[in-house]
Amino acid sequence: MAVAERYAVKESEAHWQQVWAERACFRATEDPERPKYYVLEMFPYPSGRIHMGHLRNYTMGDLVARYRRARGHMVLHPMGWDAFGLPAENAAIQRGVHPATWTRENIAAMRDQFKPMGLSIDWTREIATCEPEYYRHEQKMFLDFLKAGLAYRTETWVNWDPVEHTVLANEQVIDGKGWRSGAPVERRKLAQWSFRITRYAEDLLQAIQDLDRWPDKVRAMQTNWIGRSEGARVRWDLADRDDALEVFTTRPDTLYGASFCAISPNHPLAAELARDNPDLAAFIAECARLGTSEEAIETAEKRGFDTGLRAVHPLDPSWTVPVHVANFVLMEYGTGAIFGCPAHDQRDFDFARKYDLPILAVVAPRDTDPVAFAADLTAGTEAFVGDGVAINSRFLDGLGVADAKRAVIERLESLGKGEGTVQYRLRDWGVSRQRYWGCPIPVIHCPSCGIVPVPEDQLPVTLPEDVTFDAPGNPLDRHPTWAHVDCPTCGTAARRETDTFDTFVESSWYFARFCAPHSDTVAFDRAAVDYWLPVDQYIGGVEHAVLHLLYSRFFMRALRDCGYLAGAEPFAGLFTQGMVTHETYQAADGSWLEPAEVERTDDGGARRLSDGAPVTVGRSEKMSKSRRNTVDPERILDTYGADAARLFIVSDNPPDGDMEWSDAGLEGAWRYVNRIWRLVAAPPVPLPPAGTPVPVADLDAPTLGLYRRAHKTIAGVTEDLERFRFNTAVARIRELTNALGDLKADAPGAAAVARFCVETAVRLLNPMVPHLTESCWQALGGSTILAESDWPQADPAHLVDDTVTLAVQVNGKLRGNVSLPRDCPKAEAEAAALAVDNVRAHTEGKTIRKVVVVPNRIVNIVVG
RNA sequence: GCGGACGUGGCGGAACUGGUAGACGCAGCGGACUUAAAAUCCGCUUCUCGUUGAGAGUGGGGGUUCGAGUCCCUCCGUCCGCACCA
C-alpha cells in the first residue's frame, strides 16, 4: 500500500488537537444574537485513572457539542473535577500522601488521559471543587441559606459507620451495612446541619411535569422519591391522659373500621412508657436490633406490644381502641403513629389476625352484597384495598371512597380532631460529614452566643494543611489549633464547626459556576449565568437519577430565593447513558482473569495467553475491579487512536443501553476509519477539485440515485443526532459509503457525485471521528477546518425520488414489486400490480374482492 | 407489593404516525489479489423444504385490521428503581 493511502492516526490526532488548541476553537463566548447551547457531562471524581464509562460519557457529550457548534450555536462545553471525598482520605491513611496532593496529582493525570480523546472542551474553564476559590462561594451560599431558613441545625437519627467514624448518607448504606467498611450501620442521634429541601417538595414534584426532555424513568424515580400522598392528620385523645395521639392516614374514609392504634418503637410516647415498663423497653430494644436491612423487613413478622393505653375514636367518644407499639410503624414517616383498619390494609390485617383484633369491613365493592362481602373479608386472609362504597360507617354509608374521604375530613376539621394534609416521603437533606476532605461548614460554636456564622469578610474558612490520619475519626477534631477561635460576636474562646459538607453539595451548583468560573467576587456572574443556564443537554449515569439531580434542582431554587440567579431548573435536557460491560473470564481455580490475559479460540472457548490453560467465559457484566473485566482506555487510545474508540462507542448500540465492549467491535470501527481515509486518499473515481458543481441534469438514474442518497443521509443523520440515535446515524453513513462502491466511474457527472458523497460522509462523521475527518477534509482541499465549519444542508428537492418501488401483496403476503412514478394515480398502481407475473399466478381463477392501494408504499390485493 | 423499561437471526441491534421484518455492524462461510500471510475488495449468511419458488417466523395464546414487531386483551420471562411510606 502506498504511503499516502495509510492513515497515520497518531500524527493526525496529535496534529489536530494542537490546531484546535492554537485556534481556541472550543473557547466558549457569549453572543446574545446567537442561540446558545450548554452541553455538560457529569463531572468526574478524580480517581486518577479514566475508565471506559468516562470514555463513553465524554464521547457522547463531545459529539453533541461538536454537532451544535456546527449548527451555529454558541456552545459551552466545560470540564471540572468533583474533587472532595472519601477516597482521598483513604489514600492518606493507606499511603501517607496528603489528600490535597493526591487529588491534585490525580487531576493532572486524568487531564492527561482525557486530552488524547480529542474532546472539544473549553479547558480555560476548568474547576476543582476542592480549591478555596471554588468552595468559598459555597460557604457564602450556606450563610445565605441560614438566613433564609433553608439551612438549620437539628438532632436527627443518622446512619453511623462505626469503622469509618462518620455519618453515611442513605445511599451509602447497603443492606444495613456501610458501603466501604461492610460494618453494620448504627442508628445514632447527632446534631446535624440540614438543608430544607422539603420546603420545595411540591414545587420539585410539580415541575417534573415540565421536564419533557428528561427520561420518563428518571422522572418517575424522582416522583416516587418525593412520594406525595394526600390524607389526613387525625387526633386520637388518650383515655386517662392529658395528651393525644396524632396519626397520619391516607384512608380517613376507613375511620369507622379502626380497631387499634400503633406507634413506632422510636415514638416519644413509647420511650416515655418504656421508662416504667421493662418489658416494653425490651421489646423496643429488640425492634432496634432487627435493623432495617431488606431481608430483615421481608421476613420480619408484624409484632406489637400492647401499652395498655386506650385511644378515643375521634368521631365517637364512647369508642376506644388499644394502643400498641408496633415494629412496622416508622418514626420517619408521617407522625410515627397510625390507626389500624385491618379490613382495608394488609399490614393491619396481618397484625389484627396475630393479636386477635376485630376486622370490620367499612368499604365494599360496588354491586356486591355488603353483608356477605363483610363476612367473607372477616373470614379471609386478605384486606380489601380497592375502590368501593362505604358501609358500616354511619354518616358515610353509600359514599364512594373519594367522597367519603372529603366528608370525613370536613367532619374532623369541624370537630377540631384533625385536618386534611399532604405528606411527603422526601426528607430534609442532612449535609454534615465528620470528614476532613470536604468544604468546611462556616460556623462557630460559642459557649455564650450559641451558633455564630463566620462573618462574610472572613471567608473562606480554609482547610488546614497540617493534619494527620494516624487515628480514626475526623482530623479536624484533633487539630491542635484550627478549631480554636474567638467568637466573632462576643470574643470569648469558641470552637469552629469541624464537620464538612457532604460532597453532593459541591456538585449541586458546579454547572452554574462553569458559566463564569473565574469571577472571584461573586459565585455567579449574573449576565453569564442568565445567558448559559439552563444546561441544554446534561449527560451522565442513571445512578444519579435521584440524589444529585434532585439536590441540584433544590439548589437552583434555593439560590434563586437567595437572589443568586433567576431560573429554577438546572437541566433542561437529560440523557442517561448505560454502563460499559465486558465478558468475564475465570481460570480453572476460579480466579478472575483480565481480558488482556485471555485469548478467544475458534471453537468459541478461551484460553490463558501465558500457558494456554482453558478459561471459562462468563456473561458480560459491568466492568469492575473485582471481576477484573476492565479494559484500560489509555491503552485503547494508544493502540487504535481516539477516533476508532469513539466510533465504536457511538455505533455499537443505542446510547442509553448497556454497551458490550469487545475487541472485535473496536477493530470493526478501526477498519472503517481506515476505509474512510482510503476513500479520500485513493478514491474509486478521481475526484474533481473542491467546489465542482454536480451536473444534476446530466446524471443517469443510478448516479442521480446515489446523489439523492447523500442528501437523504444528511437529513437522516441530522434527525438521528437530534434524537440521540448515534448508532443509526453511523449506520446511515456506512450505507452511503457502501453505495459509493456501486458507482459507475464512466457515468456522466460520476466524479462530481463521488466527491459530493465523500465530502458529505466526512462532514457528517466529524462529530464522531473529529481527527480523521479533519485530515480528510484537508486532503479534499477544504479551505476551512471542520471544527469551524457549518453542518451540511440537505436539499429538499433531492429528498424524494421520481420513481418508487411498491410492494405487491396478495391477501397480505408479499408476491412482488412494481416500480412506478412517484404519486401515480391509484388506478395505475392497481393495474401495474395486477400485471406482475407472480401476482397473476396467485390471483388466477380467484375473485378479486378488494384492492388496497397505499400511495408510494404498497398494493394489497384481496382475493377469495 | 408499588413504579418504570423491555422481549426481533449465532451476537449487538434496525424497522418514521400499522404498510416489503432483519438496515448497519460483529462473528461465520465462499471467492479475488498474494509464493505465502496480513491488509484490502467482492459474494453469501433468519429457519425449513427446494430449480424457479413455497412455507414458517419478531417470548406463548387470543383479538382488531385488506395488512400487526408496531394497536388491544391475556399469560410467561428479563432488567432497573423504591419498598412495612400508613
Side-chain angles (χ1 to χ4, degrees):
Chain A
M1 188 185 282
V3 173
E5 292 173 35
R6 194 177 298 129
Y7 176 56
V9 194
K10 290 214 167 168
E11 292 79 353
S12 168
E13 296 194 347
H15 170 71
W16 291 112
Q17 283 164 21
Q18 195 188 336
V19 170
W20 297 328
E22 280 166 3
R23 299 176 68 100
C25 293
F26 311 129
R27 185 81 53 82
T29 51
E30 291 138 41
D31 179 352
E33 301 301 310
R34 285 173 63 190
K36 65 91 185 179
Y37 204 91
Y38 184 179
V39 191
L40 185 66
E41 304 91 346
M42 291 179 185
F43 69 163
Y45 178 79
S47 61
R49 303 287 306 168
I50 66 170
H51 54 66
M52 281 298 171
H54 291 128
L55 207 61
R56 191 167 189 221
N57 191 209
Y58 294 101
T59 294
M60 289 181 195
D62 194 53
L63 194 160
V64 172
R66 288 177 181 271
Y67 168 70
R68 288 293 159 185
R69 224 172 263 119
R71 293 297 305 265
H73 288 97
M74 305 306 290
V75 169
L76 172 57
H77 185 212
M79 173 70 91
W81 311 96
D82 190 13
F84 273 137
L86 222 49
E89 286 187 61
N90 289 331
I93 293 162
Q94 285 157 18
R95 283 183 270 152
V97 53
H98 193 279
T101 311
W102 185 83
T103 302
R104 286 174 192 141
E105 283 175 3
N106 283 351
I107 287 173
M110 284 181 81
R111 194 191 298 118
D112 285 348
Q113 291 174 63
F114 274 128
K115 289 270 167 94
M117 284 183 68
L119 302 175
S120 64
I121 283 170
D122 180 354
W123 284 99
T124 67
R125 294 179 184 245
E126 183 180 347
I127 54 178
T129 59
C130 63
E131 303 299 341
E133 303 85 74
Y134 182 84
Y135 68 69
R136 63 180 299 170
H137 301 292
E138 185 166 300
Q139 293 175 340
K140 168 78 160 61
M141 287 171 205
F142 174 80
L143 298 181
D144 287 328
F145 286 5
L146 213 50
K147 279 183 220 148
L150 286 164
Y152 63 96
R153 190 169 171 84
T154 185
E155 292 248 314
T156 51
W157 288 99
V158 296
N159 308 304
W160 179 263
D161 188 318
V163 173
E164 303 265 341
H165 290 272
T166 188
V167 164
L168 296 179
N170 284 334
E171 79 278 9
Q172 292 167 335
V173 179
I174 295 155
D175 245 357
K177 296 180 178 117
W179 67 303
R180 296 183 71 85
S181 67
V185 164
E186 293 170 13
R187 305 281 289 160
R188 277 204 190 177
K189 210 159 195 187
L190 274 185
Q192 293 276 292
W193 289 101
S194 284
F195 286 161
R196 207 178 299 278
I197 189 170
T198 52
R199 181 184 286 182
Y200 300 101
E202 189 63 30
D203 184 31
L204 287 166
L205 180 71
Q206 292 306 320
I208 290 171
Q209 286 169 12
D210 300 323
L211 295 173
D212 55 348
R213 289 179 48 233
W214 281 40
D216 288 344
K217 175 194 171 91
V218 175
R219 297 206 287 176
M221 283 166 74
Q222 292 215 352
T223 301
N224 292 340
W225 189 265
I226 293 168
R228 182 185 202 272
S229 49
E230 282 182 28
R233 279 173 187 254
V234 184
R235 266 178 296 285
W236 295 66
D237 291 326
L238 292 170
D240 310 321
R241 277 179 66 109
D242 222 8
D243 55 351
L245 199 59
E246 180 148 299
V247 309
F248 173 73
T249 178
T250 56
R251 293 298 300 276
D253 58 305
T254 63
L255 209 42
Y256 284 111
S259 57
F260 64 95
C261 280
I263 61 175
S264 164
N266 298 323
H267 196 282
L269 179 60
E272 183 197 322
L273 296 171
R275 277 200 289 275
D276 313 316
N277 187 336
D279 291 342
L280 177 56
F283 176 77
I284 291 170
E286 203 188 322
C287 291
R289 251 203 321 281
L290 260 173
T292 51
S293 79
E294 205 169 309
E295 63 263 43
I297 288 165
E298 206 69 55
T299 53
E301 59 177 332
K302 309 270 172 292
R303 296 187 52 210
F305 187 100
D306 191 342
T307 62
L309 291 177
R310 307 284 301 182
V312 182
H313 196 285
L315 299 178
D316 182 349
S318 69
W319 181 355
T320 65
V321 298
V323 176
H324 289 250
V325 174
N327 63 345
F328 65 93
V329 180
L330 304 175
M331 194 58 217
E332 298 84 16
Y333 187 77
T335 59
I338 61 158
F339 83 82
C341 174
H344 305 292
D345 181 287
Q346 192 60 45
R347 292 158 301 177
D348 296 348
F349 193 104
D350 297 343
F351 191 80
R353 266 287 131 76
K354 185 166 166 79
Y355 294 99
D356 220 9
L357 296 159
I359 298 170
L360 176 64
V362 288
V363 181
R366 287 169 210 279
D367 308 320
T368 53
D369 171 34
V371 177
F373 174 79
D376 284 352
L377 188 142
T378 307
T381 57
E382 301 235 325
F384 172 69
V385 296
D387 193 19
V389 291
I391 58 171
N392 301 324
S393 292
R394 308 185 194 180
F395 74 101
L396 300 173
D397 283 350
L399 294 179
V401 166
D403 290 335
K405 284 179 181 175
R406 272 191 286 276
V408 169
I409 288 169
E410 202 171 293
R411 178 71 59 96
L412 288 168
E413 286 175 351
S414 69
L415 293 170
K417 295 288 187 186
E419 57 279 320
T421 181
V422 175
Q423 185 70 40
Y424 300 91
R425 203 188 78 113
L426 181 70
R427 277 168 244 157
D428 278 338
W429 173 17
V431 293
S432 296
R433 297 290 180 270
Q434 293 67 42
R435 281 289 155 195
Y436 166 73
W437 196 234
C439 171
I441 299 172
V443 293
I444 290 161
H445 299 272
C446 169
S448 45
C449 308
I451 287 167
V452 182
V454 172
E456 284 180 20
D457 58 13
Q458 292 175 26
L459 296 184
V461 176
T462 54
L463 288 169
E465 292 274 325
D466 52 333
V467 283
T468 54
F469 294 90
D470 45 11
N474 184 352
L476 293 177
D477 258 345
R478 301 191 301 266
H479 194 279
T481 55
W482 184 79
H484 304 288
V485 288
D486 292 338
C487 171
T489 308
C490 67
T492 59
R495 198 175 151 79
R496 279 195 196 284
E497 172 67 65
T498 56
D499 286 353
T500 53
F501 282 127
D502 180 358
T503 57
F504 274 111
V505 178
E506 286 85 61
S507 56
S508 294
W509 58 278
Y510 79 106
F511 47 87
R513 179 68 179 170
F514 274 136
C515 299
H518 306 303
S519 76
D520 52 358
T521 52
V522 290
F524 308 116
D525 178 305
R526 266 308 276 272
V529 165
D530 288 347
Y531 181 78
W532 290 113
L533 288 184
V535 175
D536 295 279
Q537 188 61 62
Y538 198 37
I539 305 171
V542 72
E543 65 271 20
H544 293 112
V546 173
L547 293 150
H548 162 58
L549 292 168
L550 194 62
Y551 293 155
S552 298
R553 297 181 63 217
F554 156 71
F555 239 80
M556 282 284 280
R557 286 164 170 77
L559 290 172
R560 175 199 61 197
D561 291 350
C562 292
Y564 281 77
L565 35 73
E569 288 299 334
F571 314 117
L574 173 69
F575 189 87
T576 51
Q577 107 260 16
M579 303 180 298
V580 182
T581 67
H582 197 283
E583 284 177 334
T584 47
Y585 305 111
Q586 270 179 299
D589 64 358
S591 63
W592 299 99
L593 299 175
E594 282 180 20
E597 299 174 283
V598 175
E599 176 184 56
R600 294 305 300 259
T601 51
D602 290 342
D603 59 358
R607 62 170 170 248
R608 184 153 55 194
L609 275 173
S610 57
D611 57 2
V615 167
T616 308
V617 179
R619 59 173 212 152
S620 203
E621 296 186 63
K622 179 178 182 172
M623 286 189 181
S624 72
K625 287 204 179 99
S626 59
R627 288 197 175 75
R628 304 192 70 200
N629 61 336
T630 55
V631 174
D632 178 17
E634 205 169 18
R635 225 182 54 219
I636 298 291
L637 294 174
D638 202 47
T639 312
Y640 293 93
D643 285 340
R646 293 169 58 120
L647 183 65
F648 176 46
I649 282 169
V650 295
S651 60
D652 187 59
N653 69 333
D656 52 349
D658 289 349
M659 141 168 224
E660 178 162 357
W661 188 268
S662 74
D663 290 348
L666 175 63
E667 272 165 32
W670 162 252
R671 281 197 293 271
Y672 191 61
V673 164
N674 285 284
R675 195 171 146 205
I676 290 292
W677 174 248
R678 277 194 306 276
L679 223 42
V680 173
V685 179
L687 300 184
T692 304
V694 173
V696 179
D698 301 338
L699 302 180
D700 62 13
T703 313
L704 180 62
L706 181 61
Y707 180 61
R708 290 192 163 158
R709 180 182 276 275
H711 282 282
K712 288 180 209 165
T713 304
I714 295 172
V717 169
T718 304
E719 159 114 22
D720 283 344
L721 296 193
E722 294 279 347
R723 296 170 58 180
F724 263 76
R725 303 197 320 188
F726 308 142
N727 54 327
T728 54
V730 173
R732 279 181 210 277
I733 300 169
R734 294 185 94 126
E735 281 182 280
L736 176 64
T737 52
N738 287 348
L740 206 46
D742 297 331
L743 180 71
K744 284 197 286 295
D746 53 356
V753 169
R755 181 171 182 100
F756 183 76
C757 290
V758 172
E759 278 185 7
T760 299
V762 164
R763 294 168 74 194
L764 293 177
L765 280 168
N766 175 255
M768 297 97 166
V769 286
H771 313 87
L772 166 74
T773 48
E774 291 285 12
S775 288
C776 289
W777 192 243
Q778 190 180 48
L780 285 166
S783 55
T784 53
I785 65 170
L786 286 177
E788 295 170 355
S789 300
D790 287 341
W791 192 243
Q793 291 267 321
D795 182 345
H798 292 303
L799 294 179
V800 289
D801 293 311
D802 310 321
T803 306
V804 291
T805 304
L806 278 76
V808 183
Q809 298 177 337
V810 178
N811 284 351
K813 284 192 188 300
L814 182 69
R815 299 299 179 192
N817 289 304
V818 282
S819 274
L820 289 168
R822 187 178 179 78
D823 297 328
C824 82
K826 285 192 176 188
E828 229 168 89
E830 183 174 333
L834 288 165
V836 174
D837 283 352
N838 196 36
V839 172
R840 283 231 292 274
H842 283 89
T843 52
E844 227 149 61
K846 291 175 180 152
T847 316
I848 293 172
R849 302 201 181 277
K850 185 175 179 182
V851 179
V852 181
V853 180
V854 181
N856 303 325
R857 282 193 187 274
I858 202 167
V859 180
N860 190 10
I861 300 157
V862 186
V863 300

